[in-house]
Structures are given as structure tokens and as C-alpha cells.
Amino acid sequence: MDPRLTMDENIILNRHIQTPNCDSPSFFGAVRKWLGTGCVFSISLGILLFLGPALSASDTVRNDSAMADAEAGVDADLAKLESELRSSDYDVRQRAMLSLWNGRDRYRHWVEQAVHDTDPEVARRTSWVLDRWRRGILPDTPRDIAKRLEAASGPDTIESLLNAGLFAGAAVALDESIDAAEHGALVDRADSAIRRRFPFFVRLAHQNGELGELTKVLARLAYDPSMTLARERLQHMISSDVSDELPSAAVPPMARDRDKIAIITQAVNGDVSKAMETAQQSGRTEFLRVCRMLAGDWGNLAHEQATAAQAQPAGSLEAYRHWIFALLASSRADLNDAAIAAIRTQSIDQLAAPRGGDLDSNIDDPINRVRWQALAMHGEVNAAIKILSQLSREDASEVLAQCMRFVDAFAVLDINVGDLDSEIYRLRDAAIGSQGIEGLAFDEPTPELRRLLASVRLLVSTGREKLALETLETVVSALPDELTEQNEVAKITIIRAVSRMNRSQWIGQLLIRGNAQSISPRIQFYLALAFDFQQQTVGTIMDALTRMKPRSPFASRLLDTVGILSGTKPDSFDDGDYEAMFALISQSRNVVRDFGRGVVTKSVSRLSLDIANIFEQHDQVSLSQQVLRQLADDGDIEAKLILAEAELSDGRAGPARQSFQQVWNLIDTASQDLSRLNESGSDGLLAMRAIYGECLAAKRLGDTDGAAELEQLIQWMQCSPSASLQSSFGEFLIEQGQLDQAEIIFASLLPLAAFGVAEGVEYFGLARHYDSAVATTKPIAATNAFDLAIAGTIETTVFYPSAYISLPAYVHRRMAKAALLEKDEAGLARCIDRLLRLDPIDIDFGEKMFDDIRKAGMIDLVDQTLTQMHAAGTSHMATFPLDVSMANNLAWVMALSDYKLDDALQLSRRAVHYEPESTVYRDTLAEILFRLGRPAEAIAIEQACLLDDPGEWHVHEQIRRFTTPAG
């Protein structure tokens, strides 16, 4: 009689099964004789020997003895069970099968062999047991879940097990799949689920008392550094008894992968010295380079990279790579060391030397890009420009402008500053004439338009904003009204250019030029991008304004749209218009769609979080809250979360806690839907925000134990193998003022990103967030991280051209501050020298640092620096007299240092003459007059400023200072 192997009749769940001993002969005995003694333990023992430390001789003897005793017991039990499987009594066979199922650790190897038994009863029942294990179905698996797992196939089972919190079963399923063809797919599916839903699995495991089982699942997925670190951290947090060995059934990574994982985990865990040692021993030279950079071991790195460069064929990509890192290292090492100084000089020579032929003008050649970037960021601007000007004159112009070398910046564009207006008109006409050219690459503006926009950028930077805007308006007006690809590309290029110039307020004026009565979807996209909104938000606002004011000209409605997107109240608007706009947007809109099986009409809401943010920016808080409530009612989870956070902020901790719990449950359910894979990152962050809010609510309600439990959960959740989730939550913690917790997250992510294995994040972004967390408490560490983010990632991170000047300059300012704190005058002078090579008129540095440097007694250093800045500023103003912003800023820095106040007065008066309405410029003039001993004039100017801007706190402070007697 065949056994009825169905879940309903044969699975006895939650039953304690006693397995009797039996010494009768069995099939197992024959198998054992054929395989040889000790085979049952050969796999696990082999891996332990492969990964773990060697056992001592006495330990080996004891372990061998214990192993022999254990095997003898297993032999006896199996003999009894095999006999029972062959019994004619159905119940006996059934109990034996269930005993085997319940004793996987003892009987697995025999079951694997017995599926091939010639007795169909034995083969069928052991096959059933093996199938249960492969599906992760264990004796204590809940019946309903077991049914679903039985019906599932392949990788689907693993995610079902994880979502149900059956982590022990998931570990078994992964173990049993090792030799199966689908093992890779199963591991990938489990890995993806863990990265997407780690916070939910942690909470579920905690509730079920299975955190240890969750770490076992992580161990079986530890094929990369992030998962290995997740497993280590979580295991360290939940248990002081931590083994670094993988479980016996897990397949260890290849030897070279083990080296890689070891190096990275050692570095991330703070033992960079050990990581360097491992990298050297394993011959991982690239990882050794990263380790030296993380450790600040610049001297050794400089020598290694110079030696490696010389060993490569001259002119090869690898040779240039090594020279770049030799320059990076030698510039940060001790330049008083003659050998280091020689390496720096040689590196510059090698990178700056012409390559010959067409190679120097090939803009797509990666060697050319990294050559000029490395030279520019290390202050070798002339050498960098020589290379860059052959690749892109527009980019070369941008770099020169960032160095305040505007005459050279115009010259590289073939513009004579002595006849600037005429030259701009010439370029403008050339750009207009070029827009009819056919056959240009998609999304590529004409060369003439690119050059004109580069010159307009220079005009803005040198105080010629009126000419810049007029030039752009003329170009846009000359474009044909009919929509063609080329004029659309031209408009998009102009929108993007003015956004980069921080002149987004011009966009509306430029788009209304001509007689166009609409804007294309692509222009809508870039308009939304300029103001950091979704494209559909632009369409929603424009449609609402059209229905509000149907008789209003298109140009007027477009200007109003841009004003609303920018947070500026349109001139034609009053508060009633905001209410009307909300009413129109909140109405559902019928959308007709044809899916090929008939026309479907669907009611679609046009409310969004963007709309809520827009109302909030315009101080329409009530309308913003109405948007959020309607979104929440429609099932928007993030809107529910924002409302819960508002409840907590308003002091309603009880309802807020319930709301956070509801949000968590909603996200948990939603994130199990595989159709939301593209939203997995936001789901994880929303979940972390929800549990953080729940924890705060518990604290405010006085639930100390509940809050402590939630805090512990949050700590465990931060072990996530998802770098993007960790980073996003770290940003959230910074916003909440939890800088210590944010520091821990970003300090561990930075080295992970340095090795290029932090998926979804970049080193530069992490360095910025780390800086936000520790700039006050650990300024040197923050500066070093920022420095590496710029120079150390030169191959993988591409910035705008000007950033290769502005970002290193920022680092030098930070390093100067550190040197000042250490009273290192020589180091400070070196930082200032490097800074002024990049920006000879660094106003920000002068304003923030000069007073502190004087107080430290380094007066001569301030005077020397001011002299250089004044000379560069005077030269600049002689050529660009309308650059009133520079005139005012230079005058202010000179005033704060009481340096050449008569010259400062002339500069300030020039700024006020051209922009008499500027409170900022008039305040500078008042400051200078006060320092010249003319307080009455200074006070009169400040009092006039108050009439224009009565709420300006700084002006009130100035008047108080000017009227207070000295001493």
C-alpha cells in the first residue's frame, strides 16, 4: 500500500517525536561500509578546517572520540529507522519518516543516499523528507504556510519563508540547494529580499525569538563584504559568543574573494593596518592603494605608485593611472622629503607632457580627462588648461573663471574683453544662425550655442547680468515657434545653463519669448528638474492656472507657473487664488485609456507630495495639510507617515504612536509586493522613519521599556547590508539632530564606498553627510574624508569642470582651519598658498579666518595674504568695473581687517552706486565709514536700511554697535 504523502494526512506538526535505538542490520550499514568511516561528517569538517584555526593535538583526540561516539549513536538510530521504514505497519512507517524529517542534523546524509534505495517505500518517504527540507518546511512550520510552500516552486519558496519569519527553514532551504542547479537563483532571491526588507526581518525575528536564525541566513549569503558585515554586526550585537566561521553547509567564497572580503571588512571595522597587511600578503595591489589612502600613508603610496608607473609602458592607461595617484600621494606627503618632492615633480611632468598627434584633442579619451583633472585639483592650473583647451574650450573657460582668471577665460573662447559687447553680439548672431543646421546628434546643442552660453556664464560672473539676460532673450526670441528638435534642444540647453548659473528666475522670462502657446513635454521635464519637482507637477500647475484664468495670455500663465514652482508668489495672486488652485487640483480627473481590449475611463487624483510641498513653500500650511490628508485617505503611505510625524510634533504622542505602527504595517505588506521592487529603497527608509517615530512617541508617553526595545531594534536594523538604506537613514538622523548615530553609519560606509562595493551610494555623497555629522566634533577627520572624496575617486566620479577648483579650495580652507587650531603657522601658510593658487581672491576664507589668524598672533601672515588678495582684486576690478559683487565683497574683507580702508571705501561706493537699493552693499559702506571714524554717517546709512528692511537683525546689531561708546 502506497503511503499517502499529502500535507493534510501525513504531516504531524508541533509534535515531539522520540526516536528509539535499534542495532539491527540495515541498508545504512552497507552504505557506511562502502563510503568509509567518517563520511557523514566529511563536508562540515572539511569546511571547518578550510576556514577555522587548526585544532591542538589534544583537542583533536577528544573531538575524534566524541565524533566516534556520536556516529555510533547515529548508526544505531538509523538502523532502527530504516527497519521501521520497511515495516508493513503504516503507522510505524509514518513515525519513522517523521523522525527522519525531525532529525535533519543527524540523518541528512543517510536520507540523501536513501532516496536511491531499491525499496520504493524507503525511496519515496526519504524523497518526501528531502523535498520538505529543500522547501524549508520543518516540523514546526505552521500548517497554512507549509501548504503554500508545498505549492511554490524554485526561488519563490525562499522569499515566502523569509516573509513568514521562518528563518531556520530559510537556512535549511539554502543549505539543501547548494548542489542543485537552482542554487544561484535561490541565493540571489534571498539576497535581494534581505537587502530590500531587512528592517522587517529584524523586527519579525525579534518578535519570534529568532534573531540567531536570521544571522544564520545572513551567513549563508555572505558572498560579498556588505552581507558579511551585516552578519558580523548583527551577531555581535545579539551575542557575545561570535564565531567568524561560516556554517558547515555553506559554500565558502573562492580564495581570492575571501581575501577581498577580509580586506574590506577589516578596513570597515577600523583595522586598516590589518587590512593593509592582508592586501600585501594576497597581492591585491589596488586594495592596498585604497588602504594606504584610508590610513593616510601617503609617503609609501607615493613611492609605490611612482615605481608602478615606471614599470608600465610609457603612455599607457595604467602608467597614467599610477602617475595620477603618485601626484595625489606626494602632494599630501611630506614635501620636505627630497624624494617625495621629486616624485611630485616627476608626476606633474608625466601628466602634463603632450601625448602627440590627435591624442591630445580626443575628448573621449579617458586618459585626457583624468590628466587635466588631477593637475587642476593640485593647483597646476596652467598645465591643466593646456590639456583641457584642446578638448573643450567651454570647459577650459569655466575652470579659468573659477580661478578668477576671467581675461584668460574670455580669451580661450576667442573673446577680446576690450570690446566685450561687440564680441558677445557676434557670438549671439552666430548661435542664432546655427540653429537651422540639420543632422546634429540628438540632445546636442550646436557648437555656436555652447560657446555663447559659456560666454554668458562669464558675463554673469563679472557683473554683466543685464547683457547676459538680453543675449539669451534675443536667442530664444529668434527660435521658430513651430516645434522642431533643434529649437527644443536649444531651449532645454538654455534652461539647464541658467540653472547652473543660479539664475532660475530667468527661466520664465526666457520661455515666454516668441509667440509659442505651449511648452513641450521635454521642456516641462527640464523645467521640473530646475526646481526639483516631478514633471507631472508642472503639468498639473499649468492646467490649474489655465482653468482658473482661461482669458489670461499663455505667457502670463507660464510666468505664474514658474513663480509657483520657485516658491515666489505670482504678482497676480492673492490668498483666494491658492484656495481656488487647490480646489481644482484636488478634483479627480477622468483619464481615458485604450489597453487594446476596449476603452477604459479611470478617475485619477492629481494631488501629490510635490503639491503639498508647493503649498508649504508658499506658507499655505492649511492647504498643504489638506493635500496630505487626502493623499493619506487614498492610501499614500508616505503622506500617512508625514501626518504621523506632524502629530508627534504637535504633542499628540498617543495618536502618533498608533499612526506610526499603522504605517509600519502598511509598508511591511506593500514591500512584499514584487511589483514594487523599484520602490524598495523608499520603502526601507519609510519603515525606518516609522519605527524611529514610534520610539520617540513611546519616550514621550513614558513607556521606558517600550522605547528601549524600539531603540534596540533600530540599532539592529542599522546592520542592513543595503548601503543606500543606511545612507538614507543616516541623512534622516542628521535632520533629526542625531549626529552621533549618523556618524556611526557614515564612518562605516565611507571605507566600504572607497573600495567601490557600497551599492547605491557614492563616496562623495557619503563624505558630505559625514561632514555634516562630525564637522564640529571631528573637523580633521571630516576634512580628510572630503579630500579623499575629491581626489581619491577621480576615476569614478565626474564633477562639473569648475568643481576641480572649487572643491579642492574648500578642502584647503578646512585644512587651514585645522592648522590654525594646532597653531601650525607653517602648515597654515602652506594651506593658504595652495588655496590662493586656485582662487587668488578667496573672499570666504578672508571673511571667516582673518580675524582668528590675527588673534592667534599671526598678523604678518594675514597682511601678506591680504596684500595678494588686494592686488588680484584691484586688477580684476580694473578690467571688469561692473562686477559690483566682487567690489563689495573685497571691500568687506578689507574693512574687517582695517586694511587700506580708503581703497575699501572706493570699492564700496562703486557697489552702492550701481545697486543703491542693496541693503547688503550699503551695510558694507556703513562698516567702512564707522572704522574710518565717521559713525554719524554710518548710523544714517543703517537707519535708511531699516526703512527698507525693518526685520533685518544684522542692521539692528550694527546700529547698536555704532551708537555704543568705545570701551
Side-chain angles (χ1 to χ4, degrees), residues 131-209:
D131 181 67
R132 300 284 82 73
W133 291 339
R134 287 175 177 171
R135 294 175 185 274
I137 304 172
L138 305 181
D140 60 353
T141 302
R143 189 185 184 103
D144 59 331
I145 298 174
K147 283 185 176 182
R148 292 202 303 269
L149 292 171
E150 252 204 341
S153 61
D156 290 342
T157 58
I158 194 69
E159 193 149 359
S160 296
L161 287 162
L162 293 170
N163 288 336
L166 301 176
F167 303 110
V172 168
L174 287 166
D175 287 349
E176 291 296 336
S177 73
I178 284 175
D179 295 324
E182 63 184 14
H183 176 67
L186 202 70
V187 167
D188 289 345
R189 188 69 167 269
D191 184 276
S192 173
I194 290 289
R195 292 179 193 276
R196 285 187 292 111
R197 291 184 32 79
F198 188 79
F200 305 104
F201 294 153
V202 166
R203 196 168 198 176
L204 192 55
H206 172 63
Q207 290 169 350
N208 297 341

Side-chain angles (χ1 to χ4, degrees), residues 5-11 128 132 137 143 146-147 150:
L5 302 179
T6 66
M7 293 296 296
D8 286 337
E9 296 177 292
N10 295 339
I11 298 180
W128 181 90
R132 300 284 82 73
I137 304 172
R143 189 185 184 103
K147 283 185 176 182
E150 252 204 341

Side-chain angles (χ1 to χ4, degrees), residues 452-474:
L452 177 68
L453 291 175
S455 67
V456 166
R457 182 182 178 89
L458 297 178
L459 291 176
V460 171
S461 298
T462 54
R464 300 298 305 275
E465 291 203 13
K466 183 178 180 181
L467 177 59
L469 179 57
E470 289 175 351
T471 300
L472 294 178
E473 288 177 330
T474 303

Side-chain angles (χ1 to χ4, degrees), residues 762-916:
E762 291 185 346
Y763 193 97
F764 180 75
L766 295 175
R768 286 195 302 110
H769 300 319
Y770 180 68
D771 181 65
S772 299
V774 304
T776 302
T777 57
K778 298 180 180 178
I780 296 176
T783 301
N784 288 338
F786 224 112
D787 186 31
L788 279 185
I790 301 163
T793 63
I794 186 171
E795 294 179 290
T796 56
T797 306
V798 179
F799 302 107
Y800 284 120
S802 58
Y804 292 95
I805 302 298
S806 62
L807 292 177
Y810 174 80
V811 170
H812 292 320
R813 289 189 211 106
R814 297 284 296 271
M815 290 181 171
K817 186 177 293 187
L820 180 60
L821 289 174
E822 296 176 359
K823 300 190 182 302
D824 178 6
E825 186 167 359
L828 177 58
R830 185 165 55 249
C831 290
I832 292 175
D833 177 66
R834 291 177 175 179
L835 176 61
L836 296 186
R837 290 180 66 186
L838 296 172
D839 185 352
I841 321 176
D842 195 319
I843 300 298
D844 186 66
F845 177 80
E847 181 177 11
K848 295 179 179 178
M849 291 287 294
F850 280 168
D851 188 48
D852 290 338
I853 297 173
R854 284 185 183 278
K855 289 177 180 177
M858 305 177 193
I859 299 173
D860 289 344
L861 184 57
V862 173
D863 290 343
Q864 292 169 13
T865 306
L866 262 172
T867 299
Q868 289 180 259
M869 291 176 61
H870 177 255
T874 301
S875 174
H876 173 81
M877 293 306 305
T879 308
F880 303 101
L882 296 180
D883 189 356
V884 294
S885 175
M886 175 58 71
N888 174 76
N889 292 341
L890 185 58
W892 176 254
V893 170
M894 293 168 66
L896 294 182
S897 294
D898 290 313
Y899 180 85
K900 295 190 175 182
L901 291 178
D902 289 335
D903 288 356
L905 182 62
Q906 291 182 17
L907 290 169
S908 180
R909 281 179 168 161
R910 179 185 299 183
V912 172
H913 173 76
Y914 284 107
E915 293 194 27

